Amino acid sequence: MKILILGAGKMGSFFVDLLSFEHQTAVYDIDPKRLRFMYNCERLTTLDEIRTFAPELVINAVSLKYTLDVFRQVEPYLPESCILSDIASVKTDLQAYYESCGHRYVSTHPMFGPTFANLGALSNENAIIITEGDCMGRCFFRDLYQRLGLHICEYSFDEHDETVAYSLSIPFVSTFVFAAVMKPQEAPGTTFKRHMQIAKGVLGEDDCLLREILFNPRTGGQVSRIREELKQLLDIIDRKDEGALADYLTRIRGNISHR
């Protein structure tokens, strides 16, 4: 298959490495410097080169802020039969674009960052495939992700953004708060060290990814839940209410007992 990857960043590079030995692969980026270390693929810097390459599948791997703009820029240069795809962490507005563009499409979300995850051992990582879209496109990505050993979930566009807001924004924001209260002091606790390791991993992610998660329209509601829980816990602490604390611990232990 002729596959065009939009964006020569970390995830774009990952997909080039993953696909270029089995497919005729090209990568497009307006910055030639970002293409210097792309191997075993065609390196494109103009829209006319995209027309000449005539891809059968496009994987949009630019950051979410530019995903729709880049789709609109390259779309006039694509064959009518070309399947469009994205790997965006938030799907807001993508469904409406796909349904109006006239191309077949598939949307997925590999839920690992190339900074934090071990790309050589992804068996503990996850990927989401959106249930709407082209059947052949979904089969392509399902086979690809299965070969990587990823655990695959299937959600609609709306279910995806709700799930991402829950599963990513809550631990991300909790980690941000943990890091925000750090001070230059040794802390020998084992739990503290584990939290610190998680914080370094999360904050080692690309700022664009962190922004995408935080600016998910559904993130605000999840953060509000954290704020309410902190308010309740602080009230228990201030009152030194042993009974309320016991009830609180019973409730939250119940929340995680089935995980």
Side-chain angles (χ1 to χ4, degrees), residues 31-239:
D31 183 358
K33 293 181 180 179
R34 294 170 65 103
L35 298 171
R36 287 178 298 176
F37 303 108
M38 293 291 182
Y39 298 104
N40 202 41
C41 66
E42 297 186 38
R43 293 175 283 185
L44 313 182
T45 57
T46 68
L47 295 171
D48 284 333
E49 289 175 308
I50 292 177
R51 190 197 304 277
T52 301
F53 181 70
E56 299 167 82
L57 171 68
V58 168
I59 301 176
N60 193 332
V62 304
S63 60
L64 179 63
K65 182 179 180 180
Y66 303 107
T67 299
L68 288 174
D69 288 341
V70 172
F71 266 146
R72 294 186 178 107
Q73 288 172 13
V74 304
E75 186 183 340
Y77 299 85
L78 301 174
E80 291 184 5
S81 59
C82 181
I83 300 174
L84 304 183
S85 73
D86 73 274
I87 56 169
S89 55
V90 180
K91 304 299 184 182
T92 306
D93 298 328
L94 275 166
Q95 182 177 13
Y97 167 75
Y98 281 137
E99 292 177 349
S100 66
C101 72
H103 284 271
R104 294 182 294 160
Y105 68 88
V106 57
S107 185
T108 75
H109 179 191
M111 294 188 68
F112 53 87
T115 305
F116 198 16
N118 179 1
L119 297 183
L122 295 173
S123 59
N124 292 323
E125 305 294 342
N126 301 280
I128 294 174
I129 297 177
I130 301 301
T131 53
E132 295 97 335
D134 182 72
C135 180
M136 293 296 293
R138 295 200 307 272
C139 288
F140 174 85
F141 279 98
R142 184 179 296 108
D143 177 69
L144 180 66
Y145 292 154
Q146 285 177 339
R147 286 192 284 120
L148 290 173
L150 296 171
H151 174 255
I152 299 172
C153 303
E154 297 194 12
Y155 297 118
S156 68
F157 279 105
D158 285 341
E159 290 170 339
H160 169 273
D161 280 7
E162 190 66 40
T163 299
V164 166
Y166 170 73
S167 65
L168 292 184
S169 66
I170 289 177
F172 275 31
V173 170
S174 300
T175 298
F176 292 170
V177 172
F178 172 81
V181 299
M182 290 298 97
K183 55 185 179 180
Q185 173 183 333
E186 286 294 323
T190 300
T191 302
F192 183 93
K193 290 180 179 179
R194 290 176 179 173
H195 277 276
M196 181 61 76
Q197 184 178 8
I198 293 172
K200 289 180 177 179
V202 170
L203 292 172
E205 293 287 8
D206 186 79
D207 285 359
C208 292
L209 172 64
L210 300 178
R211 182 178 64 242
E212 290 172 10
I213 300 305
L214 290 181
F215 289 175
N216 179 341
R218 294 169 172 83
T219 292
Q222 299 294 342
V223 176
S224 293
R225 292 177 56 204
I226 295 175
R227 181 173 57 195
E228 291 303 315
E229 289 296 328
L230 286 173
K231 180 180 178 181
Q232 180 180 350
L233 183 56
L234 184 59
D235 178 65
I236 293 173
I237 293 170
D238 287 342
R239 293 187 289 110

